[in-house]
Amino acid sequence: MGPILAQILTGLANAGALFMVASGLSLIFGVTRIVNFAHGSFYMLGAYIGWTLMQVLPGSFGFWSAILLAGIAVGAIGAFVEIVILRRVYAAPELFQLVATFGVILIVQDLALMIWGPQDLLGPRAPGLRGVVRILGEPVPKYDLALIAITPLVALALWALITRTRFGILVRAATQDREMVGALGVNQRWLFTGTFALGCALAGLGGALQLPKGGADLLMDFTILTSVFVVVVVGGMGSLPGAYLASVLISVVGVFGVTFLPQSTLALTFVVMVAVLMWRPFGLLGREEVAGEMGQVGPPEDPIRPAGWPVRVGVALALVVLAALPLYGSGFAVILATDILIFCLFAASLHFLLGQAGLVSFGHAAFYGGGAYAAALLVRHAGAPMELALLLAPLSAGLLALGIGFVALRASGVYFAMLTLAFAQLLWSLVWQGGAFTGGSDGLVGIWPARWADPNAIFYLLTFALCVGGILMLRHAAHAPFGYALRAARDNAPRAAASGLDVRRLQWAAFTFAGAMAGLAGGLFVFAKGSVFPNELEIARSFDALIVVFLGGVKTLSGGWVGGAVFEAGVDWLTRFEYWRLTLGLVVLFIVTIAPQGIVGTARAFWARVQR
Amino acid sequence: MSALLDVRDLSRHYGALRAVDGVSFELAAGDVRALIGPNGAGKSTLFKMLMGETRPNSGEVYFGGARITGLRPARIVRRGIGRTFQITGTWASMSVAENVQTACLAHDGRTLSILPYARHLHRERAEALLDTVGLADQADRPAAVLAYGDLKRLELAIALAGEPRLLLMDEPTAGMAATERTDLMETVTRIARETGMTILFTEHDMDVVFAHAERVMVLDRGALIAEGTPEEVRADARVREVYLGVGLDPEALADA
Ligand SMILES: Nc1ncnc2c1ncn2[C@@H]1O[C@H](COP(=O)(O)OP(=O)(O)O)[C@@H](O)[C@H]1O
Ligand SMILES: [Mg+2]
């Protein structure tokens, strides 16, 4: 009995920070309809700021004031972000908002690195709560008990704020009735700012509160984000009781996981999530209409048509020139061009999913990294030749997409985005914890191409053939019946269904197709680099692809590969600077607020104006 | 002859609101029937249940003798029911002809194919259908730029592309000019006569209803309160009361 109780208590203590971050995310979403992907960053900031304050404020009073002040400071930073950035994108499609919040993630990451340095910070112990108490013979840290008591207090305070104050009434009204928000007029801006600040303050508070347990490090933004998404999906977006219930459930399951299944703690919570999702697609206490529509807002794109002969001849010539690169380019140029081609295929696959199917996946790296690992594992453990590995990489990634798509497509809109991200992170953690089999954080190295393809020039040509072939295939699919059916489902799903299109099956097929193409890119990547590390599965990799699609332009046919080429070349240049994430983040914010049509879209608009 | 569509005691509740409350009726093949009733009577909700877009709380729907309750829309479409929406549904990113071509592709189930150029498929059939609804001259314009009345006609062409045995039309002429309304309804009823297609439509314009429907059903607050020929329905006291109750001009009913 004792050990089980102790574990439940640990779970309850862990639920504290999770609940605060999740409820903040939920609140913000309820009022502004923005899924704040930067919410983990505010949590991280809370931890770092709290840590600094604890260094200067002495004693018990200092400790608790530091936590409170950290929350307030993060709230203020949140208000700043809302006023400067988010206000400009409320009217934009949801995807733009998500990408804008991702720009914030990048900037916060580099700022934290600049200010606090790369090393993990050990959290100070809470004065007066250092030891353990024995409950049924089991040691339970006193600070855990404090957290168990504090969390419901915060929840109660939040509940009182929401039900008893004028601000709370507005928040609830806005959450329940979208029309109401418009009628608020001037108040609306401050309601949005206030809610965003409150949500961020909660995240900051959570980050500071968990300092004695977990300290502060630069990975904690993505770590918490995954758990929070799981919590929100399980509890139901926009429901505070749901957030509390799910935080406790997920935390307790997590603690038991550590004991019984230490290899894959995260996997266990995912099993719980999938089970809940099968049973209630909108979460335990969620409501259907909250899921929202995603993707196509704004004027519809023009009907697409296959390129005419002049363009085709031009493209063919350009491809010939590109294929001949080894004849005139330097060794470095050939290697860089190989990388760019691979990345273009990866980006084009996501662009297909987003542009044609209107599915905003935030975990596309799962298939890129999945294909890469499939190839590497086949070579390492089965002694597969390169040719076979390159064939099986897209197949494995396609199978993976089939499985993930089955679950993720039960949800739609923001839930879908969160689920794809969560699954990618699950895969990442499986590989990370995979020990000798996956190489863990050491990755798999020494995976080289077959001897005939080993010279850089030959491998470049192989990559060229497969990537250009893949990109052309994706592009052609947009002109084929599949592309039309997908766009029909995207433009107007009820109309598509009433014409006999099985919308979900179409989306599933698109998800699998795009996943397989990303897997091909991943397979090529392994042989180009000779190695693969877990960071090919990271959230950051998924976001790279997403940013690229943006950079290129969603509502264009060429946006994927154009953005990919510019991005990969740009990153090659950017990463020579120390704080390149910061720069990238600023570029992202610039695109989202100033040139939302992307490179291809902006160029096209410019061309149209010149012609007139 | 057994009924083509047999609706038995169908209900759909939203919380305490009984949007559709125990509705039963039958349609025989070739019927052209109107479903009228004030706003909020439950007409659109009834259509949604017939198409499988919304699950009924209770009741059954039989089509062609087989139970279709609870099937997904794509399945029900395969059985031969088609529909147009009250809020006109077309695919804005395609040209007018491509809209119809896509509906044809959906009809013959070739939607996972990635080989042929779709714009060359079903082009003739699409043009014929556009000709039928009077949109032939707009075939290559983007659907997004069409006028409202033209969108309604485009959606009709999309629905007809599925060769439905039963066509449900939710306010097919709303927002159209009077002559356009008559044209559109004459087109549909002519097709119905020629092909044996069955039609159930909702409509607010009583002129249209009485000119084109063989029989009329009246829905009020979720329940069917009258059914009969236009003349019978026009003379029905309860129907007059319902329309009086919501402030509609009873003269419109009487004069039509
Ligand atoms: N999804 C829904 N949730 C809640 N109430 C609904 C929903 N759909 C329709 N209703 C309500 O059901 C009633 C019938 O609506 P509807 O079928 O659209 O009527 P009609 O088409 O006859 O104007 C209305 O009161 C409407 O507000
Ligand atoms: Mg209606």
Side-chain angles (χ1 to χ4, degrees):
Chain A
M1 203 44 225
I4 292 186
L5 181 72
Q7 286 189 331
I8 292 181
L9 288 178
T10 312
L12 277 171
N14 291 349
L18 202 52
F19 164 72
M20 286 174 213
V21 183
S23 59
L25 188 85
S26 242
L27 265 180
I28 295 175
F29 178 80
V31 173
T32 65
R33 283 297 185 273
I34 284 190
V35 179
N36 181 23
F37 273 71
H39 219 59
S41 306
F42 290 108
Y43 167 76
M44 180 168 83
L45 276 180
Y48 273 112
I49 293 175
W51 184 87
T52 301
L53 289 172
M54 283 172 196
Q55 306 303 306
V56 292
L57 300 174
S60 201
F61 180 74
F63 176 84
W64 295 107
S65 347
I67 290 179
L68 211 60
L69 286 175
I72 293 173
V74 174
I77 297 172
F80 174 78
V81 167
E82 199 274 346
I83 293 171
V84 173
I85 299 161
L86 295 182
R87 273 195 187 174
R88 292 170 208 281
V89 296
Y90 283 130
E94 279 176 55
L95 184 55
F96 281 64
Q97 303 165 348
L98 300 183
V99 172
T101 61
F102 182 62
V104 175
I105 294 183
L106 292 175
I107 293 172
V108 170
Q109 268 179 352
D110 260 6
L111 287 181
L113 176 65
M114 257 186 224
I115 300 173
W116 288 283
Q119 70 282 11
D120 294 358
L121 302 180
L122 216 58
R125 314 280 286 284
L129 293 171
R130 295 223 159 102
V132 297
V133 282
R134 298 218 161 251
I135 297 181
L136 296 178
E138 293 290 322
V140 177
K142 284 184 189 160
Y143 191 69
D144 275 13
L145 292 178
L147 280 181
I148 294 175
I150 290 171
T151 310
L153 285 182
V154 172
L156 267 176
L158 202 56
W159 178 78
L161 181 73
I162 300 276
T163 50
R164 296 291 154 87
T165 64
R166 193 179 137 64
F167 171 74
I169 292 172
L170 286 179
V171 165
R172 275 186 303 151
T175 305
Q176 269 151 27
D177 185 356
R178 301 303 302 158
E179 313 287 297
M180 246 289 299
V181 186
L184 283 176
V186 193
N187 280 341
Q188 177 198 328
R189 307 180 90 186
W190 294 110
L191 176 64
F192 279 29
T193 309
T195 310
F196 199 82
L198 175 63
C200 291
L202 278 168
L205 203 61
L209 265 177
Q210 63 79 53
L211 270 173
K213 284 173 73 82
D217 61 72
L218 289 168
L219 288 178
M220 59 193 289
D221 51 352
F222 283 156
T223 318
I224 192 90
L225 197 63
T226 311
S227 309
V228 164
F229 282 176
V230 172
V231 162
V232 167
V233 167
V234 167
M237 196 74 168
S239 158
L240 286 184
Y244 187 73
L245 205 65
S247 302
V248 171
L249 179 67
I250 294 299
S251 301
V252 171
V253 166
V255 172
F256 277 99
V258 171
T259 314
F260 299 114
L261 250 171
Q263 289 302 309
S264 50
T265 324
L266 202 53
L268 199 64
T269 54
F270 269 69
V271 171
V272 173
M273 179 186 77
V274 170
V276 170
L277 211 63
M278 290 291 159
W279 172 46
R280 287 186 67 94
F282 302 100
L284 291 174
L285 300 178
R287 289 178 310 162
E288 172 166 354
E289 62 268 38
V290 170
E293 294 291 319
M294 189 110 108
Q296 303 293 312
V297 184
E301 61 210 279
D302 293 334
I304 61 167
R305 56 198 44 195
W309 285 111
V311 176
R312 285 181 189 215
V313 170
V315 169
L317 284 177
L319 286 178
V320 169
V321 171
L322 209 57
L325 181 71
L327 295 181
Y328 57 85
S330 67
F332 172 73
V334 170
I335 292 177
L336 180 62
T338 307
D339 290 354
I340 292 180
L341 279 168
I342 292 172
F343 197 72
C344 284
L345 177 59
F346 176 38
S349 68
L350 179 66
H351 184 264
F352 179 82
L353 193 61
L354 233 140
Q356 301 299 312
L359 290 173
V360 183
S361 164
F362 272 51
H364 207 51
F367 312 116
Y368 179 69
Y373 266 96
L377 289 172
L378 280 165
V379 172
R380 173 56 36 86
H381 296 295
M386 178 192 79
E387 296 82 352
L388 184 67
L390 277 183
L391 184 72
L392 290 179
L395 282 180
S396 318
L399 270 177
L400 193 64
L402 205 65
I404 292 180
F406 177 74
V407 179
L409 283 167
R410 290 184 68 86
S412 61
V414 290
Y415 280 101
F416 174 78
M418 292 191 291
L419 279 174
T420 48
L421 182 142
F423 269 109
Q425 191 68 357
L426 168 67
L427 208 63
W428 175 83
S429 86
L430 287 180
V431 167
W432 185 269
Q433 299 174 337
F437 185 68
T438 61
S441 60
D442 296 332
L444 295 166
V445 295
I447 318 271
W448 297 106
R451 182 161 309 163
W452 65 267
D454 200 37
N456 281 344
I458 304 291
F459 191 76
Y460 168 76
L461 285 177
L462 177 70
T463 307
F464 181 87
L466 290 177
C467 289
V468 171
I471 292 170
L472 288 178
M473 186 158 138
L474 284 163
R475 196 185 167 94
H476 181 76
H479 294 293
F482 185 44
Y484 278 82
L486 281 175
R487 289 198 299 283
R490 177 203 70 185
D491 282 0
N492 190 329
R495 179 63 259 170
S499 287
L501 294 174
D502 191 331
V503 171
R504 205 176 141 225
R505 209 182 63 155
L506 280 167
Q507 291 177 333
W508 200 15
F511 195 71
T512 306
F513 183 42
M517 284 298 168
L520 176 60
L524 284 166
F525 172 85
V526 173
F527 291 105
K529 292 282 177 250
S531 59
V532 59
F533 298 96
N535 60 347
E536 296 314 319
L537 287 159
E538 262 176 10
I539 297 180
R541 185 67 71 241
S542 299
F543 276 126
D544 283 350
L546 214 54
I547 291 172
V548 157
V549 171
F550 252 78
L551 195 68
V554 182
K555 293 182 175 183
T556 61
L557 271 186
S558 315
W561 67 265
V562 171
V566 172
F567 180 86
E568 186 70 16
V571 163
D572 180 74
W573 179 70
L574 265 181
T575 43
R576 295 174 201 174
F577 304 106
E578 196 174 353
Y579 296 114
W580 64 277
R581 281 173 201 285
L582 184 66
T583 322
L584 186 59
L586 292 172
V587 170
V588 167
L589 291 182
F590 177 80
I591 297 173
V592 168
T593 50
I594 312 282
Q597 294 178 306
I599 298 173
V600 179
T602 307
R604 198 193 278 160
F606 181 71
W607 181 238
R609 206 180 308 159
V610 169
Q611 278 186 324
R612 213 179 297 142
Chain B
M1 208 188 87
S2 75
L4 178 68
L5 180 75
D6 183 0
V7 177
R8 298 186 194 160
D9 206 19
L10 208 57
S11 296
R12 169 76 218 202
H13 305 165
Y14 292 110
L17 175 79
R18 297 161 169 237
V20 173
D21 194 15
V23 166
S24 305
F25 65 93
E26 290 186 359
L27 286 178
D31 278 358
V32 175
R33 185 167 309 174
L35 175 66
I36 66 170
N39 269 328
K43 305 180 295 291
S44 296
T45 305
L46 179 60
F47 275 19
K48 278 189 195 158
M49 288 191 283
L50 298 183
M51 281 305 292
E53 291 156 12
T54 300
R55 268 172 190 274
N57 291 84
S58 62
E60 301 289 348
V61 183
Y62 291 81
F63 182 71
R67 186 171 166 275
I68 58 166
T69 337
L71 293 185
R72 287 195 290 156
R75 282 289 161 80
I76 291 179
V77 173
R78 295 257 163 273
R79 303 278 176 102
I81 306 185
R83 73 116 98 200
T84 65
F85 290 85
Q86 179 173 349
I87 298 168
T88 315
T90 58
W91 299 306
S93 70
M94 301 178 195
S95 76
V96 170
E98 284 168 355
N99 264 273
V100 185
Q101 285 170 280
T102 304
C104 293
L105 285 169
H107 182 50
D108 60 29
R110 283 187 38 203
T111 47
L112 290 183
S113 157
I114 58 168
L115 291 180
Y117 277 110
R119 60 201 310 266
H120 301 316
L121 303 174
H122 297 295
R123 176 76 197 192
E124 271 115 65
R125 176 152 165 67
E127 276 171 5
L129 281 164
L130 287 175
D131 197 38
T132 310
V133 298
L135 279 179
D137 51 337
Q138 312 219 39
D140 290 315
R141 299 184 74 199
V145 306
L146 289 194
Y148 189 70
D150 290 343
L151 278 177
K152 289 242 155 206
R153 289 192 283 191
L154 174 55
E155 193 185 12
L156 177 60
I158 291 176
L160 289 174
E163 298 180 323
R165 284 196 283 158
L166 167 63
L167 179 61
L168 310 172
M169 296 193 291
D170 202 351
E171 308 202 3
T173 71
M176 284 180 145
T179 51
E180 275 188 313
R181 294 181 178 203
T182 316
D183 282 353
L184 185 117
M185 287 311 293
E186 260 162 21
T187 307
V188 194
T189 43
R190 194 193 70 231
I191 295 172
R193 271 196 311 278
E194 287 169 7
T195 65
M197 184 172 73
T198 310
I199 294 177
L200 178 64
F201 69 103
T202 71
E203 183 58 67
H204 281 301
D205 183 337
M206 293 306 149
D207 294 338
V208 171
V209 171
F210 294 131
H212 298 282
E214 295 159 355
R215 292 180 78 78
V216 181
M217 299 190 293
V218 187
L219 198 63
D220 179 39
R221 277 169 283 166
L224 278 183
I225 57 165
E227 209 247 279
T229 63
E231 292 71 30
E232 289 164 6
V233 166
R234 206 177 335 197
D236 188 298
R238 279 184 72 191
V239 176
R240 301 179 73 105
E241 192 182 316
V242 163
Y243 274 82
L244 206 61
V246 295
L248 272 185
D249 184 5
E251 295 300 309
L253 218 51
D255 293 346

